[in-house]
Coordinates of all heavy atoms in Angstrom, one line a residue:
S410 N 206.0 129.4 187.0 CA 205.3 128.8 185.9 C 206.1 127.6 185.4 O 207.3 127.6 185.3 CB 205.0 129.8 184.8 OG 204.4 129.2 183.7
H411 N 205.4 126.5 185.0 CA 206.0 125.3 184.6 C 205.8 125.1 183.1 O 204.6 125.2 182.6 CB 205.4 124.1 185.3 CG 205.9 122.8 184.9 ND1 207.2 122.4 185.3 CD2 205.4 121.8 184.1 CE1 207.4 121.2 184.8 NE2 206.4 120.8 184.1
L412 N 206.9 124.9 182.3 CA 206.8 124.7 180.9 C 206.5 123.2 180.6 O 207.1 122.4 181.3 CB 208.0 125.1 180.2 CG 208.3 126.6 180.2 CD1 209.7 126.9 179.5 CD2 207.2 127.4 179.5
Q413 N 205.7 122.9 179.6 CA 205.4 121.6 179.2 C 205.7 121.4 177.8 O 205.3 122.2 176.9 CB 204.0 121.2 179.5 CG 203.6 119.8 179.2 CD 202.2 119.4 179.5 OE1 201.5 120.1 180.3 NE2 201.7 118.4 178.9
L414 N 206.5 120.3 177.4 CA 206.8 120.0 176.1 C 205.6 119.5 175.3 O 204.9 118.6 175.8 CB 207.9 119.0 176.0 CG 208.5 118.6 174.7 CD1 209.1 119.8 174.0 CD2 209.5 117.5 174.8
D415 N 205.2 120.2 174.2 CA 204.0 119.9 173.5 C 204.3 119.0 172.3 O 203.6 118.0 172.0 CB 203.3 121.2 173.1 CG 201.9 120.9 172.5 OD1 201.2 120.1 173.0 OD2 201.7 121.5 171.4
W416 N 205.3 119.4 171.5 CA 205.7 118.6 170.3 C 207.1 118.9 169.9 O 207.6 120.1 170.1 CB 204.7 119.0 169.1 CG 204.8 118.1 168.0 CD1 205.5 118.2 166.8 CD2 204.1 116.8 167.9 NE1 205.3 117.2 166.0 CE2 204.4 116.3 166.6 CE3 203.2 116.1 168.7 CZ2 204.0 115.1 166.2 CZ3 202.8 114.9 168.2 CH2 203.1 114.4 167.0
V417 N 207.8 117.9 169.4 CA 209.2 118.1 168.9 C 209.2 118.1 167.4 O 208.7 117.2 166.8 CB 210.1 117.0 169.5 CG1 211.5 117.1 168.9 CG2 210.2 117.1 171.0
Y418 N 209.8 119.2 166.8 CA 209.9 119.3 165.4 C 211.4 119.1 165.1 O 212.2 119.8 165.7 CB 209.4 120.6 164.9 CG 208.0 120.8 165.1 CD1 207.5 121.4 166.2 CD2 207.0 120.4 164.1 CE1 206.1 121.6 166.4 CE2 205.7 120.6 164.3 CZ 205.2 121.2 165.4 OH 203.9 121.4 165.6
G419 N 211.7 118.3 164.1 CA 213.1 118.2 163.6 C 213.9 117.1 164.4 O 213.3 116.4 165.3
F420 N 215.1 116.9 164.0 CA 215.9 115.8 164.6 C 217.4 116.2 164.4 O 217.7 117.1 163.6 CB 215.6 114.5 164.1 CG 216.0 114.3 162.6 CD1 217.1 113.6 162.3 CD2 215.2 114.7 161.6 CE1 217.5 113.4 160.9 CE2 215.5 114.6 160.3 CZ 216.7 113.9 159.9
N421 N 218.3 115.5 165.1 CA 219.7 115.7 164.9 C 220.2 115.1 163.5 O 219.9 113.9 163.3 CB 220.6 115.0 166.0 CG 220.3 115.6 167.3 OD1 219.7 116.6 167.5 ND2 220.8 114.9 168.4
S422 N 220.8 115.9 162.7 CA 221.3 115.3 161.4 C 222.7 115.6 161.2 O 223.4 114.8 160.5 CB 220.4 115.7 160.3 OG 220.5 117.1 160.1
K423 N 223.2 116.7 161.7 CA 224.6 117.1 161.4 C 225.6 116.5 162.3 O 226.8 116.4 162.0 CB 224.7 118.6 161.3 CG 224.0 119.2 160.2 CD 224.2 120.7 160.1 CE 223.5 121.2 158.9 NZ 223.8 122.6 158.6
V424 N 225.3 116.2 163.5 CA 226.2 115.8 164.5 C 226.1 114.3 164.9 O 226.8 113.7 165.7 CB 226.1 116.6 165.9 CG1 226.5 118.0 165.6 CG2 224.8 116.5 166.5
S425 N 225.1 113.6 164.2 CA 224.9 112.2 164.6 C 224.6 111.4 163.3 O 224.2 112.0 162.3 CB 223.7 112.1 165.6 OG 222.5 112.7 165.0
R426 N 224.7 110.1 163.4 CA 224.4 109.3 162.3 C 223.5 108.1 162.8 O 223.7 107.6 163.9 CB 225.7 108.7 161.6 CG 226.6 109.7 161.1 CD 226.0 110.4 159.8 NE 226.9 111.3 159.3 CZ 226.8 112.7 159.4 NH1 225.8 113.1 160.2 NH2 227.6 113.5 158.8
Q427 N 222.6 107.7 161.9 CA 221.7 106.5 162.2 C 221.0 106.7 163.5 O 220.8 105.8 164.3 CB 222.5 105.3 162.2 CG 223.2 105.0 160.9 CD 224.0 103.7 160.9 OE1 224.2 103.1 161.9 NE2 224.5 103.3 159.7
T428 N 220.5 107.9 163.8 CA 219.7 108.1 165.0 C 218.2 108.2 164.7 O 217.4 108.7 165.5 CB 220.1 109.4 165.7 OG1 220.0 110.5 164.8 CG2 221.5 109.3 166.2
V429 N 217.8 107.6 163.6 CA 216.3 107.4 163.3 C 216.2 105.9 163.2 O 216.7 105.3 162.3 CB 215.9 108.2 162.1 CG1 214.4 107.9 161.8 CG2 216.1 109.7 162.2
Q430 N 215.4 105.3 164.1 CA 215.2 103.9 164.1 C 213.8 103.5 164.2 O 213.0 104.2 164.8 CB 215.9 103.3 165.3 CG 217.4 103.6 165.5 CD 218.3 102.8 164.7 OE1 218.1 101.6 164.6 NE2 219.2 103.4 164.0
Y431 N 213.4 102.4 163.6 CA 212.1 101.8 163.8 C 212.1 100.8 165.0 O 213.1 100.1 165.1 CB 211.6 101.0 162.6 CG 211.0 101.9 161.5 CD1 211.8 102.3 160.4 CD2 209.7 102.5 161.6 CE1 211.3 103.1 159.4 CE2 209.2 103.3 160.6 CZ 210.0 103.6 159.5 OH 209.5 104.4 158.5
T432 N 211.1 100.8 165.8 CA 211.0 99.9 166.9 C 210.3 98.6 166.4 O 209.8 98.6 165.2 CB 210.2 100.4 168.1 OG1 208.8 100.6 167.7 CG2 210.8 101.7 168.6
H433 N 210.3 97.6 167.2 CA 209.7 96.3 166.7 C 208.2 96.5 166.6 O 207.5 95.7 165.9 CB 210.0 95.2 167.7 CG 209.2 95.2 168.9 ND1 209.4 96.1 169.9 CD2 208.1 94.4 169.3 CE1 208.5 95.9 170.9 NE2 207.8 94.9 170.6
Q434 N 207.6 97.5 167.2 CA 206.2 97.8 167.0 C 205.8 98.8 165.9 O 204.7 99.1 165.7 CB 205.6 98.4 168.3 CG 205.7 97.4 169.5 CD 205.2 98.1 170.8 OE1 205.4 99.3 171.0 NE2 204.7 97.3 171.7
G435 N 206.9 99.2 165.2 CA 206.7 100.1 164.0 C 206.7 101.6 164.4 O 206.4 102.4 163.5
D436 N 207.0 101.9 165.6 CA 207.1 103.3 166.0 C 208.5 103.8 165.5 O 209.4 103.0 165.2 CB 207.0 103.5 167.5 CG 205.7 103.1 168.1 OD1 204.7 103.1 167.3 OD2 205.6 102.7 169.3
V437 N 208.6 105.1 165.5 CA 209.9 105.7 165.1 C 210.6 106.3 166.3 O 210.0 107.1 167.1 CB 209.7 106.8 164.0 CG1 211.0 107.4 163.6 CG2 208.9 106.3 162.8
L438 N 211.8 105.9 166.6 CA 212.6 106.5 167.7 C 213.7 107.3 167.1 O 214.5 106.8 166.2 CB 213.2 105.3 168.5 CG 214.1 105.7 169.7 CD1 213.3 106.4 170.7 CD2 214.7 104.5 170.3
Y439 N 213.9 108.6 167.5 CA 214.9 109.4 167.0 C 215.3 110.4 168.0 O 214.7 110.6 169.1 CB 214.4 110.2 165.7 CG 213.2 111.1 165.9 CD1 213.4 112.5 166.1 CD2 211.9 110.6 165.9 CE1 212.4 113.3 166.3 CE2 210.9 111.5 166.0 CZ 211.1 112.8 166.2 OH 210.0 113.7 166.4
S440 N 216.5 111.1 167.8 CA 217.0 112.1 168.7 C 216.8 113.5 168.1 O 216.8 113.7 166.9 CB 218.5 111.8 169.0 OG 219.2 112.0 167.8
A441 N 216.5 114.4 169.1 CA 216.3 115.8 168.7 C 217.0 116.6 169.8 O 216.5 116.7 170.9 CB 214.9 116.2 168.6
G442 N 218.2 117.1 169.6 CA 219.0 117.7 170.6 C 219.3 116.8 171.7 O 219.9 115.7 171.4
S443 N 219.0 117.1 172.9 CA 219.3 116.2 174.1 C 218.1 115.3 174.4 O 218.1 114.5 175.4 CB 219.7 117.0 175.3 OG 218.6 117.8 175.7
L444 N 217.1 115.3 173.6 CA 215.9 114.4 173.8 C 215.9 113.2 172.9 O 216.4 113.2 171.8 CB 214.6 115.2 173.4 CG 214.1 116.3 174.2 CD1 212.9 117.0 173.6 CD2 213.8 115.8 175.6
C445 N 215.3 112.1 173.4 CA 215.0 110.9 172.5 C 213.5 111.0 172.4 O 212.8 111.2 173.4 CB 215.4 109.6 173.2 SG 217.2 109.5 173.3
V446 N 213.0 110.9 171.2 CA 211.6 111.0 170.9 C 211.1 109.6 170.3 O 211.7 109.1 169.4 CB 211.3 112.1 169.8 CG1 209.8 112.2 169.6 CG2 211.9 113.4 170.3
L447 N 210.0 109.1 170.8 CA 209.3 108.0 170.3 C 208.0 108.4 169.7 O 207.1 108.9 170.4 CB 209.1 107.0 171.4 CG 208.4 105.6 171.0 CD1 209.3 104.9 170.1 CD2 208.0 104.8 172.2
F448 N 207.9 108.3 168.4 CA 206.7 108.7 167.6 C 205.9 107.5 167.2 O 206.4 106.6 166.5 CB 207.2 109.5 166.4 CG 206.0 110.0 165.5 CD1 205.0 110.8 166.1 CD2 205.9 109.6 164.2 CE1 204.0 111.3 165.3 CE2 204.9 110.0 163.4 CZ 203.9 110.9 164.0
N449 N 204.7 107.5 167.7 CA 203.7 106.4 167.4 C 203.0 106.8 166.1 O 202.2 107.8 166.1 CB 202.7 106.2 168.6 CG 201.8 105.1 168.3 OD1 201.0 105.1 167.3 ND2 201.8 104.1 169.2
L450 N 203.2 106.1 165.0 CA 202.6 106.5 163.8 C 201.1 106.3 163.7 O 200.4 107.1 163.1 CB 203.3 105.6 162.7 CG 204.7 105.8 162.4 CD1 205.3 104.8 161.5 CD2 205.0 107.2 161.8
A451 N 200.6 105.3 164.4 CA 199.2 105.0 164.4 C 198.4 106.1 165.1 O 197.4 106.6 164.6 CB 198.9 103.7 165.1
S452 N 198.8 106.5 166.3 CA 198.1 107.5 167.1 C 198.6 108.9 166.9 O 198.0 109.9 167.4 CB 198.2 107.2 168.6 OG 199.5 107.3 169.1
K453 N 199.7 109.1 166.2 CA 200.3 110.4 165.9 C 200.7 111.1 167.2 O 200.4 112.3 167.4 CB 199.4 111.3 165.1 CG 198.9 110.7 163.8 CD 200.1 110.6 162.8 CE 199.6 110.3 161.4 NZ 199.8 108.9 161.0
T454 N 201.3 110.4 168.1 CA 201.7 110.9 169.4 C 203.2 110.7 169.6 O 203.8 109.9 169.0 CB 200.9 110.3 170.6 OG1 201.2 108.9 170.6 CG2 199.4 110.5 170.5
Q455 N 203.8 111.6 170.5 CA 205.2 111.5 170.8 C 205.3 111.2 172.3 O 204.6 111.8 173.1 CB 205.9 112.8 170.5 CG 206.0 113.1 169.0 CD 206.7 114.4 168.8 OE1 206.7 115.3 169.6 NE2 207.3 114.6 167.6
T456 N 206.3 110.4 172.6 CA 206.8 110.2 174.0 C 208.2 110.6 174.1 O 209.0 110.4 173.1 CB 206.6 108.7 174.4 OG1 205.2 108.4 174.2 CG2 206.9 108.5 175.9
Y457 N 208.7 111.2 175.2 CA 210.0 111.8 175.3 C 210.8 111.2 176.4 O 210.3 110.9 177.5 CB 209.9 113.3 175.5 CG 208.9 114.0 174.6 CD1 207.7 114.4 175.1 CD2 209.2 114.2 173.3 CE1 206.7 115.0 174.3 CE2 208.3 114.8 172.5 CZ 207.0 115.2 173.0 OH 206.1 115.8 172.2
L458 N 212.1 111.0 176.2 CA 213.0 110.7 177.2 C 213.9 111.9 177.4 O 214.7 112.3 176.4 CB 213.9 109.5 176.8 CG 215.1 109.2 177.8 CD1 214.5 108.8 179.2 CD2 216.0 108.1 177.2
N459 N 213.9 112.5 178.5 CA 214.6 113.7 178.8 C 215.6 113.5 179.9 O 215.5 114.0 181.0 CB 213.7 114.9 179.2 CG 214.4 116.2 179.3 OD1 215.5 116.4 178.9 ND2 213.7 117.1 180.0
A460 N 216.6 112.6 179.6 CA 217.6 112.2 180.7 C 219.0 112.5 180.3 O 219.9 112.2 180.9 CB 217.4 110.8 181.0
H461 N 219.2 113.2 179.1 CA 220.5 113.6 178.7 C 220.8 115.1 178.9 O 219.9 115.9 178.7 CB 220.7 113.3 177.2 CG 220.7 111.8 176.9 ND1 219.5 111.1 176.6 CD2 221.6 110.9 176.7 CE1 219.7 109.9 176.4 NE2 221.1 109.7 176.5
S462 N 222.0 115.4 179.2 CA 222.3 116.8 179.4 C 223.1 117.4 178.2 O 223.5 118.5 178.2 CB 223.2 117.0 180.7 OG 224.4 116.2 180.6
D463 N 223.3 116.5 177.2 CA 224.1 117.0 176.0 C 223.4 116.3 174.8 O 222.5 115.5 174.9 CB 225.5 116.5 176.1 CG 226.4 117.4 175.2 OD1 225.9 118.2 174.5 OD2 227.7 117.2 175.3
I464 N 223.8 116.7 173.6 CA 223.2 116.2 172.4 C 223.4 114.7 172.2 O 224.5 114.2 172.5 CB 223.8 116.9 171.2 CG1 223.5 118.4 171.2 CG2 223.4 116.3 169.9 CD1 224.2 119.2 170.1
V465 N 222.3 114.0 171.9 CA 222.3 112.6 171.6 C 223.0 112.4 170.3 O 222.4 112.8 169.3 CB 220.9 112.0 171.7 CG1 221.0 110.5 171.4 CG2 220.3 112.2 173.1
T466 N 224.1 111.6 170.2 CA 224.8 111.4 168.9 C 224.7 110.0 168.5 O 225.2 109.6 167.4 CB 226.2 111.8 169.0 OG1 226.9 111.1 170.1 CG2 226.3 113.3 169.3
C467 N 224.2 109.1 169.3 CA 224.1 107.7 169.0 C 222.8 107.1 169.5 O 222.4 107.4 170.7 CB 225.3 106.9 169.5 SG 225.4 105.2 169.2
L468 N 222.1 106.3 168.8 CA 220.8 105.7 169.2 C 220.6 104.4 168.5 O 220.9 104.2 167.4 CB 219.7 106.7 168.8 CG 218.3 106.4 169.3 CD1 218.2 106.5 170.8 CD2 217.4 107.4 168.6
R469 N 220.2 103.4 169.3 CA 220.0 102.0 168.8 C 218.7 101.4 169.4 O 218.4 101.7 170.6 CB 221.1 101.1 169.0 CG 222.3 101.3 168.1 CD 221.9 100.8 166.7 NE 223.0 101.0 165.8 CZ 223.0 101.9 164.9 NH1 222.1 102.7 164.7 NH2 224.1 102.0 164.1
T470 N 218.0 100.6 168.6 CA 216.9 99.8 169.2 C 217.3 98.3 169.1 O 218.2 98.0 168.3 CB 215.6 100.0 168.4 OG1 215.9 99.7 167.0 CG2 215.2 101.5 168.5
A471 N 216.7 97.5 169.9 CA 217.0 96.1 169.9 C 215.9 95.4 169.1 O 214.7 95.6 169.5 CB 217.1 95.5 171.3
P472 N 216.2 94.7 168.1 CA 215.2 94.0 167.3 C 214.3 93.1 168.2 O 214.9 92.4 169.0 CB 215.9 93.2 166.3 CG 217.3 93.9 166.2 CD 217.5 94.5 167.5
K473 N 213.0 93.1 168.0 CA 212.1 92.3 168.7 C 212.0 92.5 170.2 O 211.4 91.8 171.0 CB 212.3 90.8 168.4 CG 212.2 90.5 167.0 CD 212.4 89.0 166.7 CE 212.3 88.7 165.2 NZ 212.5 87.3 165.0
L474 N 212.6 93.6 170.7 CA 212.6 93.9 172.1 C 212.0 95.3 172.3 O 212.0 96.1 171.4 CB 214.0 93.9 172.8 CG 214.6 92.5 172.8 CD1 216.0 92.7 173.4 CD2 213.8 91.5 173.7
E475 N 211.5 95.6 173.5 CA 210.9 96.9 173.7 C 212.0 97.8 174.4 O 211.7 98.3 175.5 CB 209.7 96.8 174.6 CG 208.5 96.1 174.0 CD 207.3 96.0 174.8 OE1 207.2 96.8 175.8 OE2 206.5 95.2 174.6
T476 N 213.2 97.9 173.8 CA 214.2 98.6 174.4 C 215.0 99.4 173.4 O 215.1 99.0 172.2 CB 215.1 97.7 175.3 OG1 215.9 98.5 176.2 CG2 216.0 96.9 174.4
G477 N 215.6 100.5 173.8 CA 216.5 101.3 173.0 C 217.7 101.8 173.9 O 217.6 101.7 175.1
A478 N 218.7 102.2 173.3 CA 219.9 102.7 174.0 C 220.4 104.0 173.4 O 220.5 104.1 172.2 CB 221.0 101.6 174.1
S479 N 220.8 104.9 174.2 CA 221.5 106.1 173.8 C 222.5 106.4 174.9 O 222.2 106.7 176.0 CB 220.5 107.3 173.7 OG 219.8 107.5 174.8
P480 N 223.8 106.2 174.6 CA 224.9 106.3 175.6 C 225.1 107.7 176.1 O 224.8 108.7 175.3 CB 226.1 105.7 174.9 CG 225.9 106.0 173.5 CD 224.4 105.8 173.3
V481 N 225.6 107.8 177.3 CA 226.0 109.1 177.8 C 227.1 108.9 178.8 O 227.1 107.9 179.5 CB 224.7 109.8 178.5 CG1 224.3 109.0 179.7 CG2 225.0 111.2 178.9
S482 N 228.0 109.8 178.9 CA 229.1 109.7 179.8 C 228.6 110.0 181.2 O 227.6 110.7 181.4 CB 230.3 110.6 179.5 OG 229.8 112.0 179.6
E483 N 229.3 109.5 182.2 CA 228.8 109.7 183.6 C 228.7 111.2 184.0 O 227.8 111.6 184.6 CB 229.8 109.0 184.6 CG 229.4 109.1 186.0 CD 228.0 108.5 186.4 OE1 227.7 107.5 185.7 OE2 227.3 109.0 187.3
E484 N 229.7 112.0 183.5 CA 229.7 113.4 183.9 C 228.6 114.2 183.1 O 228.3 115.3 183.4 CB 231.1 114.0 183.7 CG 231.6 114.0 182.3 CD 232.4 112.8 181.9 OE1 232.5 111.8 182.8 OE2 232.9 112.7 180.8
G485 N 228.1 113.6 182.0 CA 227.1 114.2 181.2 C 225.7 113.8 181.5 O 224.8 114.3 180.8
F486 N 225.5 112.9 182.4 CA 224.2 112.4 182.7 C 223.4 113.4 183.6 O 223.9 113.9 184.6 CB 224.3 111.1 183.4 CG 222.9 110.4 183.6 CD1 222.3 109.8 182.6 CD2 222.3 110.4 184.9 CE1 221.0 109.3 182.7 CE2 221.1 109.8 185.0 CZ 220.5 109.2 184.0
S487 N 222.2 113.6 183.2 CA 221.3 114.5 184.0 C 220.2 113.6 184.6 O 219.6 112.8 183.8 CB 220.7 115.6 183.1 OG 219.7 116.2 183.7
H488 N 219.9 113.7 185.8 CA 218.8 113.0 186.4 C 217.5 113.7 186.3 O 216.7 113.8 187.2 CB 219.1 112.7 187.9 CG 220.3 111.9 188.1 ND1 220.3 110.5 188.0 CD2 221.6 112.2 188.4 CE1 221.5 110.1 188.2 NE2 222.3 111.1 188.5
G489 N 217.1 114.0 185.0 CA 215.9 114.6 184.7 C 214.7 113.6 184.7 O 215.0 112.4 184.7
N490 N 213.5 114.1 184.6 CA 212.4 113.2 184.6 C 212.1 112.8 183.1 O 212.1 113.6 182.2 CB 211.1 113.9 185.1 CG 211.2 114.2 186.6 OD1 211.8 113.5 187.3 ND2 210.7 115.4 187.0
P491 N 211.9 111.5 182.9 CA 211.6 111.0 181.5 C 210.2 111.5 181.0 O 209.4 111.9 181.8 CB 211.7 109.5 181.6 CG 211.7 109.2 183.0 CD 212.0 110.4 183.8

């Protein structure tokens, strides 16, 4: 049986700082455990990046660009599906 992520509740607050960001389109990008979550306020939908094998502790968006960054060490990188 295959599990499918339906919705993410909560975010990292004790082990990370400034990991809730607005994108240039007004969406909210935040971390929740080892996931990065992009929440579209207009459509009330979430998109997930599941490529980290450990807790995301740093997250940034680039103003006026459609990009964000969350660093990971080489030994901590997981080649999971986004």
Side-chain angles (χ1 to χ4, degrees):
S410 176
H411 179 75
L412 294 177
Q413 182 177 340
L414 185 58
D415 187 45
W416 195 262
V417 173
Y418 296 91
F420 67 101
N421 295 349
S422 63
K423 292 187 179 188
V424 297
S425 59
R426 299 289 182 260
Q427 299 179 352
T428 56
V429 178
Q430 307 277 315
Y431 280 100
T432 68
H433 79 287
Q434 295 176 330
D436 297 334
V437 180
L438 180 64
Y439 63 96
S440 63
S443 63
L444 291 174
C445 293
V446 181
L447 182 65
F448 178 58
N449 183 300
L450 295 169
S452 66
K453 306 286 191 258
T454 58
Q455 294 179 334
T456 305
Y457 314 104
L458 171 65
N459 185 17
H461 293 87
S462 61
D463 204 351
I464 295 172
V465 176
T466 59
C467 181
L468 187 62
R469 282 289 180 253
T470 58
K473 300 183 182 179
L474 295 176
E475 295 182 19
T476 197
S479 57
V481 64
S482 65
E483 182 64 31
E484 62 271 6
F486 187 75
S487 169
H488 296 280
N490 295 326

